[in-house]
């Protein structure tokens, strides 16, 4: 009888010990996984998040992040966000080259520029959304909008800048949703171009288009063709100019132009941008 009780106690003790061991191992694994996830979250200057805001991966090159975002957007059929944690200069246009792609760019207070003349910074035929989760950051841009000599201008918030092309942001179809950020300090070299050239639906609820110049006598700021322009909230399209040669000392104000069956719809009150 005593031996049976002893064996029973040994079995119970072993069971309790193994149970505690399993609990400890599970807790340790969970903590390590959480630490690993937290560390992973901090890696990469350009981070990709799915439509639910769940971190997908981080990259040191915005081009790689952009490619991954397009692939994820196609796979999940939802919006995917690329969030910047550093400034970036690209040599090639960041394209949204499929109507099913839905890509959002959060400037997060940073500067996105392009080094190659004749190329857009952003070109899209799908859905492109621009926002800025750090609008109080300060960036310096080079502006030719005020005269033939370049001027350094301080901009609050993230900015798309540096294009010397037909447009800085060119939307040939689909949707462009601008909720924040700046499109500024771009030189437009076509009479039919502008810093923002939407040929699709343009929803602007925030952000600024400023300090852009068209050196071919066209629109410096926003030129809408075949576009429905929905605007509301704190927006600003101001400080854009036009001339016929970049060396001209005179600049004419040139913020907005539209043609080819474009329309403007004002939704609610417009606030000071």
């Amino acid at each position: 009888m005593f031996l049976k009780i002893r064996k029973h106690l040994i079995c119970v003790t072993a069971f309790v010990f193994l149970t505690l061991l399993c609990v400890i191992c599970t807790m340790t694994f969970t903590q390590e996984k959480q630490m690993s996830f937290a560390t992973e979250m901090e890696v990469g200057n350009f981070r990709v998040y799915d439509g639910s805001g769940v971190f997908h991966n981080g990259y040191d090159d915005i081009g790689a992040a952009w490619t991954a975002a397009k692939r994820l957007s196609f796979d999940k059929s939802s919006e995917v966000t690329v969030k910047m944690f550093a400034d970036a200069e690209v040599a090639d246009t960041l394209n949204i080259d499929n109507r099913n792609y839905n890509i959002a760019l959060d400037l997060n207070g940073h500067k996105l520029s392009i080094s190659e003349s004749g190329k857009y910074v952003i070109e899209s035929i799908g859905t492109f959304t621009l926002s800025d989760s750090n609008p109080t950051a300060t960036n310096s841009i080079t502006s030719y909008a005020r005269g033939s000599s370049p001027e350094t201008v301080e901009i609050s918030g993230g900015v798309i800048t540096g294009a010397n092309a037909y447009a800085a942001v060119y939307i040939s179809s689909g949707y462009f949703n601008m909720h924040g950020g700046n499109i500024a300090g771009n030189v437009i070299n076509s009479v039919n171009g502008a810093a923002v050239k939407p040929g699709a639906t343009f929803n602007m609820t925030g952000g600024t288009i400023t300090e852009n110049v068209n050196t071919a006598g066209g629109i410096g700021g926003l030129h809408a063709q075949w576009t429905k322009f929905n605007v509301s909230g704190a927006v600003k399209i101001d400080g854009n100019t036009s001339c016929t040669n970049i060396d001209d000392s005179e600049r004419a104000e040139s913020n907005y132009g539209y043609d080819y069956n474009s329309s403007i719809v004002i939704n609610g009150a417009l606030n000071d941008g």
Side-chain angles (χ1 to χ4, degrees):
M1 182 69 177
F2 176 76
L3 290 174
K4 288 183 179 180
I5 294 173
R6 185 178 179 184
K7 287 181 180 180
H8 178 72
L9 289 173
I10 291 172
C11 290
V12 170
T13 302
F15 175 77
V16 171
F17 175 77
L18 290 173
T19 301
L20 288 172
L21 185 62
C22 289
V23 170
I24 292 170
C25 290
T26 301
M27 291 175 63
T28 302
F29 174 77
T30 302
Q31 289 175 346
E32 289 178 349
K33 187 176 181 181
Q34 288 175 341
M35 290 176 63
S36 174
F37 181 73
T39 302
E40 185 181 24
M41 283 287 288
E42 297 173 0
V43 172
N45 288 325
F46 309 99
R47 302 172 191 174
V48 177
Y49 301 84
D50 68 18
S52 300
V54 177
F55 174 73
H56 177 68
N57 211 339
Y59 302 85
D60 290 326
D61 175 70
I62 194 170
W66 200 260
T67 299
K70 291 194 294 184
R71 183 167 55 247
L72 186 63
S73 177
F74 185 82
D75 291 343
K76 291 184 173 292
S77 299
S78 65
E79 181 181 86
V80 174
T81 298
V82 176
K83 187 171 183 178
M84 298 176 63
F85 287 83
D87 294 347
E89 182 180 67
V90 294
D92 292 314
T93 301
L94 297 177
N95 286 297
I96 301 173
D97 49 359
N98 186 307
R99 295 180 188 275
N100 294 316
Y101 292 156
N102 187 345
I103 307 299
L105 175 64
D106 181 356
L107 294 168
N108 192 27
H110 292 285
K111 182 191 299 184
L112 174 62
S113 60
I114 190 162
S115 60
E116 294 294 318
S117 180
K119 294 184 178 181
Y120 319 119
V121 183
I122 302 287
E123 181 182 11
S124 176
I125 64 171
T127 298
F128 173 57
T129 299
L130 180 65
S131 65
D132 184 14
S133 58
N134 188 9
T136 60
T138 301
N139 282 292
S140 296
I141 63 165
T142 299
S143 174
Y144 283 90
R146 305 183 184 194
S148 56
S149 298
E151 292 191 28
T152 300
V153 178
E154 298 296 315
I155 293 286
S156 294
V159 59
I160 292 176
T161 189
N164 188 336
Y166 179 76
V169 176
Y170 180 50
I171 313 295
S172 59
S173 65
Y175 297 87
F176 177 27
N177 306 308
M178 186 172 180
H179 302 317
N182 300 276
I183 299 171
N186 299 286
V187 176
I188 309 307
N189 55 29
S190 169
V191 68
N192 292 315
V196 179
K197 182 77 174 181
T201 299
F202 180 25
N203 303 308
M204 187 177 186
T205 60
T208 299
I209 302 171
T210 189
E211 295 290 344
N212 303 288
V213 61
N214 189 312
T215 59
I219 305 300
L222 169 67
H223 188 188
Q225 289 184 331
W226 300 102
T227 300
K228 183 176 182 181
F229 179 28
N230 300 308
V231 58
S232 64
V235 303
K236 180 180 178 182
I237 305 176
D238 192 22
N240 304 285
T241 61
S242 177
C243 61
T244 56
N245 190 299
I246 197 169
D247 294 325
D248 292 344
S249 58
E250 298 295 323
R251 300 285 192 265
E253 186 175 4
S254 179
N255 292 305
Y256 178 79
Y258 70 97
D259 48 29
Y260 302 133
N261 295 321
S262 293
S263 64
I264 304 174
V265 179
I266 300 175
N267 300 305
L270 295 178
N271 305 317
D272 290 337

